[in-house]
Amino acid sequence: MAIQGPIPVSFEQVFPHGCYIVGEVEQVKDFTASANGRTVYAKDKITGEPVWQVAVMDADPTVKAGQKTVSVKILADVQPVPPASLPGLPFVPVEFDGMTVTPYVAQNTGRLAWSIRARTMRAPRATAPAKHTATAGKDAA
């Protein structure tokens, strides 16, 4: 099979309506390696970089309430810094670059789930202006 490992995806494929940070950026613990009160933090198996995670809320209005919040893991040598908050918004909008997804079967439900990873997080880019269409009765040049 040609697909091996994480599948590259764009931010727009994962969050077509955008997403918002609803938690703190935290370093991921390696529960298998941690023992006797000693905490060991997870490192990416391919790059060796520390793994961080942040909870985000999917802005898609059709997503069920129980599935709105997901964790995005970020590979970075230092703790990623969320974008600045915007006045009047209760949550911080965010976008991710260098995204991948890895499918797996959730042990608690037996259903297909996705591990979402990214290389960086940033403030959303300004949206492109809408394209104008020719008005009725006039030819477009």
Side-chain angles (χ1 to χ4, degrees):
M1 181 175 199
I3 297 175
Q4 304 223 354
I7 302 165
V9 293
S10 70
F11 175 79
E12 292 77 16
Q13 288 174 299
V14 180
F15 299 109
H17 296 274
C19 67
Y20 299 90
I21 293 176
V22 293
E24 301 295 320
V25 176
E26 300 174 327
Q27 197 164 9
V28 176
K29 293 178 184 170
D30 182 337
F31 291 103
T32 304
S34 297
N36 300 326
R38 191 181 119 237
T39 301
V40 176
Y41 292 102
K43 295 203 180 261
D44 181 68
K45 293 174 186 171
I46 298 168
T47 67
E49 293 175 289
V51 180
W52 306 83
Q53 69 183 2
V54 63
V56 299
M57 181 177 61
D58 191 335
D60 185 341
T62 65
V63 173
K64 294 178 184 177
Q67 298 172 333
K68 273 206 158 307
T69 303
V70 297
S71 177
V72 176
K73 293 186 171 111
I74 304 167
L75 308 180
D77 287 327
V78 296
Q79 182 173 357
V81 177
S85 60
L86 298 174
L89 290 180
F91 303 112
V92 178
V94 66
E95 288 186 4
F96 298 94
D97 292 316
M99 294 186 75
T100 63
V101 294
T102 303
Y104 67 95
V105 176
Q107 290 180 355
N108 58 340
T109 64
R111 294 184 178 193
L112 179 65
W114 299 91
S115 174
I116 304 170
R117 290 190 177 216
R119 296 298 300 172
T120 59
M121 74 174 161
R122 60 176 167 72
R125 292 185 177 113
T127 57
K131 292 183 179 181
H132 296 285
T133 57
T135 58
K138 294 190 176 183
D139 293 336

